[in-house]
Amino acid sequence: MAFTIAIDGPAAAGKGTISKAIAAHFGFAHLDTGLLYRATGRRVLLGDDPVDAAYSLSAFDLTGEGLRTPEVAQAASKVAADPQVRAALVDFQKGFARRDGGAVLDGRDIGTVICPDAEVKLFVTASDVIRAERRYLELSAKNMDVTREQVLADVRARDARDASRDAAPMVAAHDAVLLDTSEMSIEEAVAKAIAVIKQAQ
Ligand code: C5P
């Protein structure tokens, strides 16, 4: 039976951690849809055409630490504003969302465009300063050469581009449950999300 959990929100709000924990808790499959845009963005940085890249993503494109760099994040956000790139990636995401056994998808447009009929929709957010601090700690732990100021500026630029684009902008679905994780531990945020899902089951 299909059961879709759509998790949207801005960069570094905790969507990925919450999605993985929920998928493990309920035994659902998980798709980090940001990876599709990051993989496309990385191919563009290597010289490919964005639409061709989006139509020809391979399993190889979706692997590797190289997808988590700030450069690739910005490239992802740029290609994600192209409606043709988005169109190339829609069918795969829709199919994944309705697979048997339940699915958790996290991204920017899951509850609004990819799966407007999702059984549960969460919009996970946190203040931009807190999100930037989390991302800074994550990147520094991987020995990436970044400053707090750079990471905050990157997060703000990506938020603004993702929220203001015409094609599937980042916005909470009208029926999404808002989860502000600014003052929450990971455990608290996951527990809240699980409680919301249990109510819908
Ligand atoms: O979630 P993540 O930070 O990996 O996403 C990278 C970029 O991909 C985002 O900034 C956004 O522009 C784009 N994206 C999107 N729609 C999604 C997931 C990601 O536009 N469903």
Side-chain angles (χ1 to χ4, degrees), residues 15 32-34 37-38 68 76-77 80 86 93 107-110 158 162 165:
K15 299 187 305 290
D32 169 359
T33 64
Y37 294 92
R38 285 175 182 263
R68 295 284 169 205
S77 160
R86 304 198 73 83
Q93 295 176 82
R108 303 290 185 292
D109 63 340
I110 309 303
R158 209 138 65 87
D162 292 349
R165 69 187 176 214

Side-chain angles (χ1 to χ4, degrees), residues 17 23 34 38 41 49 54 76 102 130 140-141 168 170 177 183 188 190-191 201:
T17 311
R38 285 175 182 263
D49 172 76
I130 287 176
S140 325
M170 170 179 70
V177 175
E183 307 289 332
E188 284 171 322
V190 170
Q201 274 187 317

